[in-house]
Amino acid sequence: MKKQTMNRDWIATARTLNEALPYLQRYTGAVVVVKFGGNAMGDEEAMAEFARDIVLMRQVGVNPVVVHGGGPMINDMLKRLNIESRFVRGKRVTDQATVEVVEMVLTGLVNKRIVQAIMDEGGRAVGLSGKDDDLIVCEADDPELGFVGNPVECNVQVLRDLFAAGIIPVVAPVATGMDYLETFNVNGDTAAGALAAALKADRLLLLTDVSGVKNAEGEVVTQMTPEDVRAMISDGTIAGGMIPKTETALKAVEEGVRAVVILDGRVPNACLLELFTEHGAGSLIRRADLPPVKARS
């Protein structure tokens, strides 16, 4: 008869699962929109780990929506096709040739890689773009930037239909416009925020390459109100690339998302740490009048 001896790792695993129970119950049936991007998209191991986390979320009753970017892949394809990029005030001008490449790369390459990764981990996933069923309808964000879109309408019934079927939606941020056959490139964070607001999501998770929003001393602020964020933008504490992310968070919270979390997607199991542990991960932004759901150190 074979004997097994209990070791500390097994005991720690069991304790972790036990401690996660209240959060598993808390998020059963919740909609969680996850913006996926950055270096993890080009790393097979990181992609597989992310996909496994998303499949686990679905398995325990969460309704995840993955919205992805793909800037490095777009840059690589533009270079290979000898399409020169022009910038206005630091932002890429998206002309007709560029938006065709954006659509090709995001919907035909990046989107399907993520879908395949989720399927390989035992989940069910369907890839969409904002064009499908008029999921995201845009107008031009700035005429000087060409086909860069600002969402004005999100028709999310198709996402709810996929939830009901047990399928994980994976959305490429390419959208339709008001004119015939008009196509827009949408910033991934912006698209994720718009969909989260339309779904009245419980959480919007913005995965980044930094650990969260930092204060003047360089420490991550674990919980913030919109008023805190505005004050930190005003005094210059929040600067650079963190400004558009926090502005996306503010808009999402104002439009009905319960909370937005800016967290480091390079950390293993970042989404699971945020949702299913006591202290979460990254910087959580929520309205001051909502009670906290967990202690965040």
Side-chain angles (χ1 to χ4, degrees):
M1 183 176 179
K2 188 176 180 181
K3 293 184 178 179
Q4 287 186 329
T5 56
M6 298 294 287
N7 65 41
R8 291 181 179 178
D9 287 343
W10 295 349
I11 295 170
T13 299
R15 183 178 295 116
T16 298
L17 290 171
N18 182 272
E19 292 172 352
L21 178 59
Y23 305 110
L24 295 171
Q25 294 170 328
R26 157 76 176 80
Y27 287 104
T28 297
V31 174
V32 176
V33 178
V34 183
K35 164 54 182 14
F36 179 53
N39 297 329
M41 295 184 66
D43 184 291
E44 285 189 12
E45 186 175 339
M47 176 78 84
E49 185 174 85
F50 171 79
R52 196 174 305 118
D53 287 356
I54 295 296
V55 171
L56 192 151
M57 288 164 61
R58 176 65 220 183
Q59 188 68 37
V60 298
V62 177
N63 292 311
V65 179
V66 177
V67 181
H68 63 83
M73 294 79 165
I74 293 169
N75 291 339
D76 179 63
M77 185 60 71
L78 289 172
K79 185 176 180 180
R80 288 163 62 183
L81 295 174
N82 293 316
I83 297 175
E84 186 175 351
S85 295
R86 186 167 63 87
F87 293 85
V88 171
R89 296 183 297 279
K91 296 182 178 180
R92 188 203 307 272
V93 175
T94 304
D95 58 15
Q96 185 62 46
T98 301
V99 81
E100 288 176 4
V101 172
V102 167
E103 184 170 19
M104 175 178 67
V105 172
L106 291 183
T107 65
L109 176 63
V110 180
N111 187 272
K112 301 313 172 189
R113 281 183 178 175
I114 299 171
V115 168
Q116 185 175 6
I118 291 172
M119 299 285 287
D120 287 347
E121 297 300 329
R124 297 180 65 200
V126 167
L128 306 166
S129 78
K131 284 186 167 184
D132 293 300
D133 204 28
D134 277 349
L135 178 58
I136 305 175
V137 180
C138 285
E139 61 184 10
D141 187 39
D142 182 340
E144 284 192 86
L145 297 177
F147 296 103
V148 174
N150 177 49
V152 293
E153 183 181 344
C154 292
N155 302 293
V156 293
Q157 184 58 47
V158 65
L159 302 182
R160 295 193 178 101
D161 291 343
L162 291 172
F163 296 157
I167 298 172
I168 300 164
V170 180
V171 182
V174 176
T176 188
M178 301 291 190
D179 294 336
Y180 181 68
L181 295 181
E182 191 174 37
T183 300
F184 282 106
N185 176 27
V186 188
N187 174 273
D189 289 342
T190 301
L195 290 176
L199 288 163
K200 297 295 184 280
D202 195 279
R203 286 289 183 274
L204 167 59
L205 306 183
L206 299 177
L207 303 187
T208 71
D209 292 334
V210 295
S211 51
V213 180
K214 296 181 179 180
N215 61 20
E217 288 72 41
E219 302 166 331
V220 174
V221 182
T222 58
Q223 193 157 187
M224 314 170 71
T225 66
E227 291 72 23
D228 296 331
V229 173
R230 293 188 185 97
M232 292 174 71
I233 293 174
S234 179
D235 67 18
T237 303
I238 293 176
M242 189 55 72
I243 291 178
K245 287 191 181 299
T246 51
E247 288 179 341
T248 293
L250 291 177
K251 191 171 189 295
V253 169
E254 288 169 358
E255 294 183 358
V257 176
R258 185 174 178 84
V260 180
V261 185
I262 298 173
L263 66 163
D264 191 346
R266 300 169 301 178
V267 174
N269 310 118
C271 294
L272 303 185
L273 288 170
E274 167 53 33
L275 295 178
F276 303 132
T277 66
E278 181 181 1
H279 296 291
S283 300
L284 181 144
I285 301 168
R286 63 176 181 83
R287 296 203 321 264
D289 60 328
L290 291 179
V293 296
K294 61 177 73 176
R296 298 177 72 92
S297 60

